[in-house]
Amino acid sequence: MEPGSQAENEPYVFTTVRWDPALLQSLENTAASCNFPCPFYMLEHHWTRLQIAKWNSSLVRSSPAELLRDLTHAVQQWHADHPDEKPDSLRVKHRMYSRGRTLTEVHAVPCIPLTRLFPRRLEHPDMDPETVVWNVCLDRQAIVTSAATMFKTGDRQYYDRARAFAGIDTYAEQREVLLFNEDEEVVDASFSTPYFFREGRWVTPKANSGGQQGTTRRWALERKLCVEGDVSIQEIREGEVIYLSNAVRGYIRARP
């Protein structure tokens, strides 16, 4: 389905995933993809995300294999439409509308090492601090938490507002903005999960703060790379090293 069609005015949930043939050789990705080699990053977590976020039985994908089929078809169609382009990796955004229709957008993205997609640990903040190139700022006002902040839906008003305030125009920029709730707790970032080093361990905002339970967040918690906790905006220190993660770029070191 093409953008601009009738479905554009309908509610939808979505997930965005990295396609990368190198993932077929990753045992970690196999484990996060129903124990089958897969070119999509943590496929099983994306399927779970869509099941949790659905509000209508027509949105149910009967199995991860069905989602894999849809994503694979979209990638194959993109390659057919762009025969002269040979990207190493693709960003695949899959929308599911309330009436059961779908739309998938595909864009080329840079190659990154598998170690950034599946780190064995989140490094101590003092480790190679000069290599940190991403910049992060804090949103200017609190959000009101709701289904729109806890699930990936078409209602992106708070995220769009935060990015506009931060002056972030495209997803290619190495910049991010942190969102916080009315209790002045960090809940999320505009397109990634944040992690903060507190009392000797990495902490990501707790689930009931009102933010999204991202795929890479769940994986990091499962692997005990971090714990859930409260992150007050009053505790954020300018220049401290933090981590960000999402399902296209993996795990990234950054600074507020």
Side-chain angles (χ1 to χ4, degrees), residues 3 27 46 61 82 88 94 106 160 177 186-188 193 204 219 232-233 244 251:
L27 295 179
H46 290 275
R61 283 290 180 262
H82 302 79
D88 294 310
H94 185 66
V106 181
D160 292 342
V177 54
V186 176
V187 302
D188 211 345
T193 295
T204 194
W219 185 84
S232 168
I233 63 173
L244 304 170
Y251 296 80

Side-chain angles (χ1 to χ4, degrees), residues 71-196:
L71 297 179
T72 299
H73 175 75
V75 168
Q76 291 172 341
Q77 186 62 54
W78 187 92
H79 281 294
D81 293 340
H82 302 79
D84 296 329
E85 297 185 43
K86 306 294 182 184
D88 294 310
S89 307
L90 297 170
R91 175 181 181 267
V92 184
K93 180 178 179 180
H94 185 66
R95 301 183 186 183
M96 301 179 65
Y97 290 86
S98 59
R99 297 181 182 179
R101 293 182 284 187
T102 64
L103 183 153
T104 306
E105 303 170 22
V106 181
H107 302 279
V109 294
C111 180
I112 58 176
L114 289 179
T115 52
R116 213 170 90 184
L117 298 175
F118 293 102
R120 294 185 178 181
R121 61 183 176 275
L122 302 185
E123 297 287 0
H124 191 280
D126 294 338
M127 180 72 69
D128 296 327
E130 299 305 318
T131 64
V132 180
V133 294
W134 277 65
N135 294 314
V136 179
C137 68
L138 189 66
D139 194 11
R140 63 180 174 184
Q141 65 186 87
I143 65 170
V144 178
T145 59
S146 66
T149 64
M150 292 184 285
F151 306 111
K152 294 201 86 168
T153 75
D155 183 358
R156 302 288 290 173
Q157 59 175 312
Y158 289 119
Y159 300 92
D160 292 342
R161 187 209 68 199
R163 291 176 66 81
F165 163 70
I168 303 173
D169 297 321
T170 72
Y171 288 99
E173 297 179 57
Q174 296 183 337
R175 301 170 61 205
E176 179 59 297
V177 54
L178 301 172
L179 284 72
F180 61 95
N181 61 23
E182 293 174 309
D183 294 326
E184 297 191 336
E185 298 173 333
V186 176
V187 302
D188 211 345
S190 72
F191 65 93
S192 61
T193 295
Y195 308 82
F196 302 83

Side-chain angles (χ1 to χ4, degrees), residues 15-26 28-34 36-46 64-76 79 89-94 104-106 117-118 247:
T15 194
T16 305
V17 58
R18 182 183 187 87
W19 172 87
D20 188 335
L23 289 168
L24 289 166
Q25 309 304 318
S26 169
E28 285 284 7
N29 198 59
T30 295
S33 303
C34 303
F36 287 98
C38 180
F40 294 97
Y41 184 34
M42 301 185 187
L43 178 76
E44 186 173 355
H45 288 328
H46 290 275
E66 188 173 352
L67 176 61
L68 175 61
R69 182 197 65 197
D70 290 349
L71 297 179
T72 299
H73 175 75
V75 168
Q76 291 172 341
H79 281 294
S89 307
L90 297 170
R91 175 181 181 267
V92 184
K93 180 178 179 180
H94 185 66
T104 306
E105 303 170 22
V106 181
L117 298 175
F118 293 102

